[in-house]
Amino acid sequence: MTLSSNKTEPTTLLVDKFGRRVDYIRLSVTDRCDFRCVYCMTEEMTFLPRAQVLSLEELYLVGKAFVDLGVTKIRLTGGEPLVRTNVMTLIKQLGSLSGLQELLLTTNGAQLDKYALPLREAGVNRINVSIDSLDADRFKRISRVGKLEKVLQGIDAAIAAGFDKIKLNSVIMRGYNEDEVVGLAEYALDRDIDIAFIEEMPLGDASDHAREETTCSNAWVREVLETRFQLSDSEAKTAGPSRYTDVAGYSSRIAFISPVTHNFCEDCNRVRVTVEGRLLLCLGNEHSMDLRAILRAEDFTEEKLRAAIVAAMDLKPERHYFYEKDYAQPVRLMNMTGG
Ligand code: SAM
Ligand code: SF4
């Protein structure tokens, strides 16, 4: 593990026109996935042609440019990052960047039994594993193809690998898994790992349901949790959208990510890069900059890439407007956006 342990005041050169400092990127390493979760993908997916996808070398150059500009935290996501061929090469390179303080990965866990230890050794500090049900049939219904058993083995392997932090992500949807809120929380807390409940976002059309009918507010999820646990708002704040609660009698925490009912844009510190090299300034808007064109230009230099990223900060919109009137919702599905 070669990540810098320098936790002194980081200085990012990336500041948007509302004065928000960007020190966190989510880098999507593939749009492909071995699952087809109902809230994220349609059943029949067409993935990007290879030529449109950034190479591992290009992804590294993007990560490096952001770190050179003061970004201290990179989350690798997708699609499913662990289905990208030779992804470990990229992860090792990023893990060696001096200046990077945290390298994180979000995964569906299906291959984590094999990858947990190599990821830890490559410098990944924290890992998020998505799990929406503890019932094998239901798990399959939600992921359309996933095997619960494999994900549970993956979580055990992640615990054994000794990451600084493991967090489970659960999207709660009416008609699918709304009766599993307490069970999922117990599963996490009993293992001393955190769990975040995420509201389903209207990104692209879900083909199996109408999102307005399935979306559960986190206020409702919290009420259900409070029938079993004593929750108190935590002072702890990570550089992300989660709001944490401490749970009496447990060492790990329950978090709420509420993009639909709670607008957290005011202190947004992050941007996303899609695997096509599109720098997306906001999850819920289309403002973007084409980094691939710069990477593939004949006169490419790292300096030009950095200059484009700095210039793009002016495009970051003030906030997102899910379900608010008169706003065009993004047509991007989450696997294209990078979760
Ligand atoms: N494949 C990995 C995984 O599932 O963890 C990483 C990518 S996935 C797009 C990242 C996160 O986005 C997952 O936790 C998933 O549950 C969440 N997600 C996907 N589509 C969503 C949606 N429409 N609303 C809310 N969360 C969503
Ligand atoms: Fe794949 Fe993750 Fe999307 Fe599920 S949420 S389909 S695992 S990218």
Side-chain angles (χ1 to χ4, degrees):
M1 150 106 187
T2 46
L3 287 184
S4 159
S5 57
N6 173 14
K7 300 268 180 193
T8 51
E9 197 51 36
T11 47
T12 174
L13 298 173
L14 302 178
V15 182
D16 75 2
K17 53 182 199 288
F18 304 98
R20 293 172 298 191
R21 299 153 65 81
V22 172
D23 55 13
Y24 173 12
I25 61 162
R26 296 190 174 193
L27 185 57
S28 176
V29 302
T30 180
D31 63 324
R32 289 162 198 260
C33 187
D34 44 355
F35 286 9
R36 295 284 182 279
C37 302
V38 289
Y39 48 75
C40 176
M41 291 193 178
T42 54
E43 193 154 11
E44 298 299 326
M45 288 290 291
T46 310
F47 294 109
L48 292 166
R50 216 158 283 283
Q52 288 183 31
V53 165
L54 295 191
S55 66
L56 292 177
E57 181 57 23
E58 288 169 331
L59 286 166
Y60 170 69
L61 286 171
V62 170
K64 177 173 182 297
F66 275 99
V67 173
D68 288 345
L69 290 166
V71 161
T72 55
K73 176 170 168 180
I74 298 180
R75 176 180 298 284
L76 300 175
T77 182
E80 172 51 39
L82 298 181
V83 304
R84 174 89 195 231
T85 309
N86 294 330
V87 72
M88 288 307 299
T89 314
L90 171 69
I91 295 175
K92 280 186 206 146
Q93 283 182 314
L94 292 173
S96 305
L97 283 173
S98 70
L100 185 63
Q101 292 177 1
E102 291 185 286
L103 182 58
L104 303 86
L105 181 108
T106 303
T107 174
N108 64 23
Q111 297 194 67
L112 208 44
D113 55 343
K114 185 167 80 194
Y115 278 112
L117 203 53
L119 285 168
R120 183 70 187 116
E121 286 169 357
V124 173
N125 320 59
R126 297 203 268 145
I127 197 149
N128 285 6
V129 187
S130 302
I131 182 165
D132 306 312
S133 176
L134 291 167
D135 173 275
D137 292 336
R138 263 207 203 164
F139 185 87
K140 185 152 191 182
R141 179 177 173 225
I142 296 172
S143 62
R144 293 203 185 96
V145 281
K147 289 197 173 66
L148 174 66
E149 198 50 39
K150 285 296 287 177
V151 176
L152 297 181
Q153 283 166 9
I155 294 170
D156 288 343
I159 293 170
F163 290 97
D164 296 348
K165 202 126 268 349
I166 301 173
K167 182 157 81 177
L168 305 185
N169 282 342
S170 299
V171 178
I172 300 299
M173 291 175 298
R174 217 168 292 291
Y176 284 99
N177 62 350
E178 80 271 34
D179 55 347
E180 289 202 55
V181 170
V182 167
L184 285 161
E186 272 171 350
Y187 172 84
L189 297 171
D190 287 347
R191 285 162 183 76
D192 292 332
I193 56 186
D194 291 348
I195 182 163
F197 291 98
I198 309 178
E199 288 174 347
E200 181 185 9
M201 288 176 280
L203 293 176
D205 280 332
S207 54
D208 291 12
H209 58 265
R211 293 195 198 269
E212 303 88 280
E213 285 162 23
T214 52
T215 302
C216 288
S217 76
N218 266 338
W220 181 84
V221 171
R222 183 168 177 157
E223 249 175 57
V224 173
L225 287 165
E226 283 178 330
T227 62
R228 164 70 180 78
F229 304 106
Q230 201 184 321
L231 305 183
S232 52
D233 291 332
S234 165
E235 292 301 306
K237 184 90 189 91
T238 59
S242 297
R243 283 179 302 158
Y244 282 93
T245 58
D246 294 318
V247 189
Y250 294 92
S251 60
S252 54
R253 295 166 305 171
I254 296 179
F256 298 98
I257 304 176
S258 317
V260 177
T261 60
H262 174 79
N263 193 288
F264 44 60
C265 305
E266 203 171 287
D267 42 36
C268 179
N269 63 336
R270 52 204 166 270
V271 294
R272 292 172 158 79
V273 180
T274 72
V275 75
E276 290 179 284
R278 190 169 160 220
L279 168 56
L280 273 177
L281 282 306
C282 170
L283 177 66
N285 285 284
E286 296 297 343
H287 306 68
S288 69
M289 160 93 61
D290 181 4
L291 300 183
R292 188 181 60 194
I294 296 161
L295 284 159
R296 295 188 181 173
E298 272 187 21
D299 59 350
F300 167 77
T301 61
E302 290 188 34
E303 199 181 335
K304 284 187 181 161
L305 181 60
R306 287 195 298 268
I309 292 170
V310 171
M313 291 306 119
D314 276 355
L315 304 176
K316 191 165 167 62
E318 190 172 10
R319 51 167 299 202
H320 66 249
Y321 294 87
F322 294 142
Y323 293 120
E324 288 175 46
K325 264 190 14 217
D326 300 334
Y327 252 84
Q329 299 300 329
V331 290
R332 276 176 280 117
L333 286 163
M334 192 65 166
N335 73 304
M336 288 300 301
T337 306

